[in-house]
Amino acid sequence: MSRLEVNGLVKGYGRREVLRGVDLDVPAGSLTAVLGLSGCGKTTLLRVIAGFERAEAGSVSLGGRTLDDGSTYVPPERRGIGYVPQEGALFPHLSVQDNVSFGLPRAERRGEAVHALLELVGIAPLARRLPHQLSGGEQQRVALARALARSPSALLLDEPFSSLDAGLRASLREEVHLLLRSQGVTTVLVTHDQEEALSMADVVAVLRDGVVVQQGEPAALYQRPSDELLARFLGAVNVLPASFSAGSAMTALGPLQLHDSEVPERGSGSVIVRPEQLEVRARASEEADPGEGVAGRVQQCRYYGHDALLEILPEDGIGIDPLLARVLGESALPAGTAVTVAARGPVSVLG
Amino acid sequence: MSTAAAHPRPAQRIAHARSGWRRWPLASGTGAAIATGLVLLPLVFLVVQAQRSGWGEVERLLLRHTVAVLLWNTVRLAAACTLLCAVLGVGAAWLVERTALPLRGLWRVLLVLPLGIPDFVVGFGWVSLDHGLHGYWAAVMVMTLSLYPLVYLPVATALASGDASLEEAARSLGTGRWRTFWRVTMRQVRPAVLGGCLLVTLALLAEYGAFEITQYRTFTVEIFTEFRLGFDAVGACVLSLVLVAIGLVVLAGELTLTGVRGQRSGPGVARPIARIGLGRMTAPVLIALATLAGVALGVPVYALCYWMIRGGSTTLPSASIVGALGHTAEFSAAAAAAATALSIPLAALSVRRRGRVTLLLERFAFVPMALPGLVVALGLVSFTVRYAISLYQSTLELVVAYAILFLPLALVAVRAAMGQAPASLEEVGRSLGCGPLTAWRRVTLPLIAPGLRAAFALVFISSATELTATLLLRPTGVDTLATQFWTYSTNFAYGAAAPYAALMVAISAVPAYLLSRRMTAGARRGSLR
């Protein structure tokens, strides 16, 4: 198990700078997700780590061994880094078995180890098939097995699930998660899907315009994003104006507790409240009981089955935008319902 | 040819591979530069040779009455043949691919097979049966019957892969059946028609044997005569340059005409075409197609069989057909290997590293399409006579001439294959522990192997049936199938000539047949561009 470190990485194509000083620390044995919109440089970052491209400045090291720092450059074949490209990129002329054993010495290609790996990844019955005879999910499994066959010190996955349909994506994601956990290989997963990043990774690094804007555990990132853009990228959000005093924030929804580390000096600002932090109750009477929260009316209900997202317009002009509230699917309320909305802390302050 | 299908655009991600490999661009760049230099060599030495006797002399040679006559002959021949080929090719392709024609599989093969018969053999077939055939109309007929498949094949491919939904949309917008045919169907196949016509025109400019046989004076015939019989190298070079200029104008004209190539827009699968029933027209259509196949394929084959059976009564010393076959195979194999090897770096550059320099190198590599064999041969003769006399009329010189002439053919085949072997696969190979060379050998080479085989076969066949350059460049006393055939047939020893022609037809008919079966976009002579 080796720790992967990227420091101040710069890389561009021609005049276009793609990476502008990327710092990334992937703890040994962890699964780190690099999350970003398409075109933010995610794939370039992976390609430099894999050694397909050379860094223009900065360094890459794995387990304390420098791979690329301007003077040293270790070619891809001597890095011991497995790479699973988008769409798998299986060798079309080789069978599943030959794809998986491609990187092994000739003597080991027909050995027990390969078979065990095929079993582990669940593709043993397909060993003699050719790539074009496989489904998208099967191709990804083969690509993963191929990269794992050489017991790499680190593994890079480039949007491995993006070409699969929703149901298959979820189940394969789960399976790969368990597999990687059991292998304990240091992994970098690149994705534009925040759900994928949050649900799979130990650490999430958000890449934007060629720099890592925030890196941390999924929950920390979700609850305490460094700016509004990131907050919105990670999920639906309410931004409320607030004034601060003694560890709490006064908002239109009443006083809300702040995350303990954040006690701003300033008197006012904004806080972010996630939709699931709002409690929504249907009102019996037209008049709201001030103790139950803010009065409002459901403007729109987006029903997803397991849950529902309600868009609620506060009444009596308290000067805030419609609120987003997530409720369980069984508690979904139709548009037009009169409700009261209350919020639960802790919330975090927007910088 | 101009069908867009011939060059799969590399995906965006592949273009990413630019800066990673330091030594590879250098290696393939050098290879590509050598190939391009070789291609331009004959052209450069034609110019050098022509201006040796001064520009005044060049001017005098250019302004001769002969040049005007040749120009007129060439233009009226090219116009008539190209038009006829377009009509026959498009008409036959539409009938075969878009109507409910009986025996479609048979017609697909029969209509393409004339490609497998060298043009000078077609000419020989007609003239040996009827000595009265000569002059303009004989030349037009022989060339049209030999060349129409160059239009038929790409157009049939385009029509077969066409998309019914476009035509349905036009009909639903109130356009009638005929207007739909002109405004939608023909628009879709226009690049294929233009590409086919370009090949026909270039082939006409390059042809020598068929015109010699039908006694029709074109540039090639005149150049050959001046050089071979008049020993007038400067005059031949000046005429050659005029011929090359015409070829380049045609090539450039086609590029402008084709313009931006429309592609299927939007997602969705192309739907197959519903074929039009022929009804009472079935019998007349069948008779028409049978007539076309009969005159294009039947007459030359009948002539060959006739003369083979009649046997060879000849006053010339009998030559060894085995020896000629051996030489043909030896020269053609060497040329095929050379052209294929040279096309690998060019194809790799053009597919994996698109850019201005690459595009320029690639364009140059296609210049031989506008260079008749005669012109390449003259250019090489000018070079060797002046700078490397020991190479004059050597095997090497002949092989180099073939390799230059047919490099575009090899390039097209290899480039198409290279599109199936993206750089990303090689990268995966490297991440699995292979060095650059090993990754290339284990990943890319197996993937492009079919393309390399196709390139080798195409160049081999084209070289084996090449006549003009071979006549000028063959080592003294060495005969190939084509030259021996030529010696016999020009001396009216038809019986003796026929077996040589039959062997050449046998060599090139097999791939023509395969081509018609697979309906891959393209034909011989650098068709798929």
Side-chain angles (χ1 to χ4, degrees):
Chain A
M1 290 211 281
S2 322
R3 172 179 181 174
L4 177 68
E5 283 173 288
V6 174
N7 287 310
L9 191 66
V10 174
K11 175 74 193 168
Y13 294 110
R15 278 179 173 176
R16 201 166 63 90
E17 274 210 327
V18 179
L19 302 178
R20 303 182 301 145
V22 170
D23 297 309
L24 182 71
D25 184 1
V26 183
S30 78
L31 197 170
T32 293
V34 174
L35 177 64
L37 296 170
S38 48
C40 72
K42 296 173 304 214
T43 296
T44 305
L45 174 61
L46 278 201
R47 293 178 58 81
V48 174
I49 297 175
F52 304 142
E53 313 270 356
R54 291 190 65 160
E56 280 160 23
S59 66
V60 178
S61 69
L62 179 63
R65 171 181 172 226
T66 301
L67 298 179
D68 192 350
D69 68 353
S71 54
T72 326
Y73 166 72
V74 180
E77 62 271 21
R78 280 189 245 125
R79 293 196 174 194
I81 295 181
Y83 178 60
V84 180
Q86 233 169 20
E87 322 270 326
L90 299 182
F91 303 126
H93 59 297
L94 298 178
S95 67
V96 166
Q97 159 110 29
D98 292 339
N99 259 286
V100 171
S101 59
F102 185 93
L104 300 174
R106 201 173 288 274
E108 295 171 29
R109 286 185 200 160
R110 300 275 155 194
E112 267 306 300
V114 173
H115 189 73
L117 183 61
L118 292 173
E119 289 281 359
L120 181 70
V121 185
I123 48 173
L126 310 175
R128 286 165 191 282
R129 298 254 190 105
L130 285 170
H132 71 265
Q133 298 168 315
L134 304 178
S135 71
E138 289 164 348
Q139 292 187 13
Q140 288 298 349
R141 288 166 195 262
V142 177
L144 186 65
R146 180 176 64 180
L148 286 173
R150 303 181 71 231
S151 312
S153 323
L155 185 64
L156 309 177
L157 307 174
D158 186 0
E159 306 244 11
F161 311 111
S162 64
S163 60
L164 308 178
D165 58 60
L168 184 60
R169 194 187 310 163
S171 65
L172 189 62
R173 199 189 271 167
E174 187 55 36
E175 221 177 293
V176 168
H177 191 193
L178 289 173
L179 179 70
L180 293 178
R181 184 106 349 200
S182 72
Q183 301 284 305
V185 55
T186 308
T187 304
V188 178
L189 168 90
V190 148
T191 179
H192 65 267
D193 181 343
Q194 87 283 358
E195 191 183 303
E196 187 167 297
L198 295 176
S199 67
M200 286 185 77
D202 305 309
V203 178
V204 176
V206 179
L207 191 61
R208 188 199 294 157
D209 295 334
V211 287
V212 171
V213 288
Q214 196 176 359
Q215 176 173 352
E217 289 176 11
L221 233 66
Y222 186 72
Q223 289 163 6
R224 280 177 262 171
S226 61
D227 58 31
E228 187 177 338
L229 204 62
L230 180 53
R232 292 193 185 280
F233 184 44
L234 293 174
V237 72
N238 298 295
V239 177
L240 301 178
S243 56
F244 305 110
S245 63
S248 79
M250 194 60 209
T251 69
L253 297 176
L256 295 173
Q257 193 198 335
L258 288 173
H259 281 291
D260 45 12
S261 58
E262 313 175 71
V263 183
E265 305 284 323
R266 295 174 299 148
S268 65
S270 345
V271 294
I272 61 163
V273 183
R274 293 285 179 189
E276 53 276 13
Q277 289 183 296
L278 296 186
E279 275 174 27
V280 180
R281 284 207 191 87
R283 273 185 280 150
S285 65
E286 277 303 300
E287 290 302 309
D289 174 2
E292 282 190 347
V294 173
R297 201 169 283 278
V298 177
Q299 213 173 22
Q300 199 180 36
C301 171
R302 268 171 264 156
Y303 181 70
Y304 296 111
H306 44 75
D307 60 13
L309 197 62
L310 305 177
E311 204 176 301
I312 298 164
L313 193 66
E315 285 173 357
D316 303 330
I318 50 173
I320 54 174
D321 295 334
L323 294 165
L324 289 174
R326 197 180 298 283
V327 297
L328 289 178
E330 59 195 26
S331 323
L333 298 167
T337 313
V339 293
T340 56
V341 183
R344 274 176 285 127
V347 297
S348 66
V349 181
L350 267 187
Chain B
M1 124 194 8
S2 332
T3 43
H7 22 141
R9 237 340 93 126
Q12 190 62 43
R13 350 187 358 86
I14 298 164
H16 271 275
R18 268 173 299 185
S19 56
W21 328 72
R22 290 287 150 114
R23 282 160 294 169
W24 281 104
L26 200 66
S28 50
T30 314
I34 290 174
T36 314
L38 203 58
V39 159
L40 294 180
L41 182 83
L43 211 49
V44 170
F45 278 91
L46 273 184
V47 178
V48 169
Q49 177 81 355
Q51 59 88 48
R52 269 177 79 194
S53 43
W55 292 112
E57 175 69 5
V58 171
E59 200 179 330
R60 190 191 65 78
L61 286 167
L62 268 180
L63 298 179
R64 278 182 295 173
H65 176 63
T66 315
V67 175
V69 172
L70 294 177
L71 208 53
W72 169 236
N73 276 354
T74 304
V75 168
R76 66 189 178 128
L77 179 84
C81 275
T82 309
L83 191 67
L84 281 171
C85 285
V87 171
L88 286 178
V90 173
W94 186 79
L95 286 172
V96 170
E97 296 302 331
R98 288 295 176 91
T99 67
L101 186 74
L103 304 173
R104 181 172 305 109
L106 180 68
W107 295 118
R108 278 185 176 155
V109 174
L110 286 184
L111 290 172
V112 175
L113 273 185
L115 266 189
I117 309 178
D119 306 339
F120 57 90
V121 174
V122 176
F124 160 82
W126 284 90
V127 173
S128 68
L129 293 178
D130 177 1
H131 286 283
L133 271 175
H134 56 77
Y136 177 66
W137 289 109
V140 168
M141 183 191 70
V142 165
M143 293 313 290
T144 303
L145 292 177
S146 319
L147 296 179
Y148 82 87
L150 291 177
V151 179
Y152 168 83
L153 196 57
V155 174
T157 308
L159 283 175
S161 61
D163 185 356
S165 53
L166 287 179
E167 279 155 41
E168 287 166 2
R171 295 294 295 278
S172 77
L173 292 169
T175 315
R177 176 168 281 186
W178 273 109
R179 277 169 60 77
T180 301
F181 176 76
W182 285 113
R183 288 185 54 193
V184 180
T185 314
M186 285 312 287
R187 285 294 295 196
Q188 280 179 277
V189 298
R190 200 174 83 149
V193 178
L194 284 174
C197 287
L198 170 75
L199 296 177
V200 169
T201 314
L202 293 178
L204 284 169
L205 294 179
E207 182 59 34
Y208 160 71
F211 298 138
E212 181 70 48
I213 290 177
T214 54
Q215 298 168 34
Y216 184 69
R217 258 177 95 210
T218 62
F219 274 103
T220 42
V221 174
E222 185 67 23
I223 293 166
F224 197 88
T225 313
E226 285 194 7
F227 182 75
R228 245 326 166 51
L229 305 176
F231 297 103
D232 178 2
V234 179
C237 285
V238 170
L239 288 181
S240 296
L241 286 172
V242 176
L243 188 55
V244 170
I246 300 174
L248 291 177
V249 166
V250 171
L251 201 60
E254 195 266 351
L255 282 180
T256 339
L257 269 181
T258 315
V260 180
R261 278 152 203 178
Q263 295 226 334
R264 201 191 141 69
S265 60
V269 182
R271 294 209 308 101
I273 310 288
R275 296 178 198 277
I276 295 169
L278 283 172
R280 275 187 300 168
M281 289 302 289
T282 307
V285 163
L286 283 179
I287 290 171
L289 288 179
T291 311
L292 180 57
V295 290
L297 192 62
V299 170
V301 169
Y302 168 77
L304 286 185
C305 294
Y306 175 81
W307 290 112
M308 294 246 287
I309 292 164
R310 279 281 302 267
S313 59
T314 169
T315 53
L316 296 172
S318 70
S320 152
I321 197 166
V322 179
L325 183 62
H327 289 135
T328 302
E330 180 191 330
F331 300 154
S332 306
T340 308
L342 285 173
S343 63
I344 293 175
L346 274 170
L349 276 185
S350 84
V351 171
R352 294 188 176 177
R353 278 168 239 276
R354 297 204 71 84
R356 262 186 226 157
V357 178
T358 322
L359 202 65
L360 196 69
L361 284 180
E362 199 186 5
R363 284 271 159 85
F364 277 136
F366 280 112
V367 162
M369 283 182 66
L371 295 185
L374 184 56
V375 172
V376 170
L378 267 184
L380 286 179
V381 167
S382 311
F383 173 71
T384 47
V385 163
R386 242 186 124 183
Y387 296 98
I389 190 67
S390 60
L391 290 181
Y392 179 59
Q393 292 196 332
S394 65
T395 304
L396 180 65
E397 191 181 27
L398 184 59
V399 167
V400 167
Y402 286 158
I404 293 173
L405 267 175
F406 303 121
L407 181 69
L409 275 184
L411 184 54
V412 166
V414 175
R415 196 172 67 168
M418 201 62 93
Q420 306 302 308
S424 59
L425 287 181
E426 235 174 276
E427 287 172 0
V428 171
R430 294 198 61 190
S431 80
L432 293 170
C434 296
L437 268 179
T438 316
W440 194 86
R441 181 178 57 76
R442 289 185 63 194
V443 178
T444 304
L445 188 59
L447 288 175
I448 64 170
L452 297 183
R453 278 196 289 274
F456 187 93
L458 282 171
V459 177
F460 183 90
I461 291 148
S462 307
S463 307
T465 54
E466 209 283 340
L467 172 68
T468 336
T470 320
L471 283 175
L472 284 187
L473 297 178
R474 68 184 152 143
T476 317
V478 172
D479 264 304
T480 68
L481 290 176
T483 61
Q484 193 58 54
F485 165 82
W486 194 246
T487 310
Y488 281 136
S489 73
T490 47
N491 287 287
F492 306 104
Y494 297 150
Y500 291 87
L503 258 182
M504 281 186 284
V505 171
I507 289 175
S508 55
V510 175
Y513 171 73
L514 290 178
L515 204 62
S516 69
R517 287 295 300 275
R518 282 181 41 204
M519 289 303 280
T520 42
R524 62 176 180 174
R525 291 173 229 237
S527 45
L528 336 109
R529 177 150 35 89

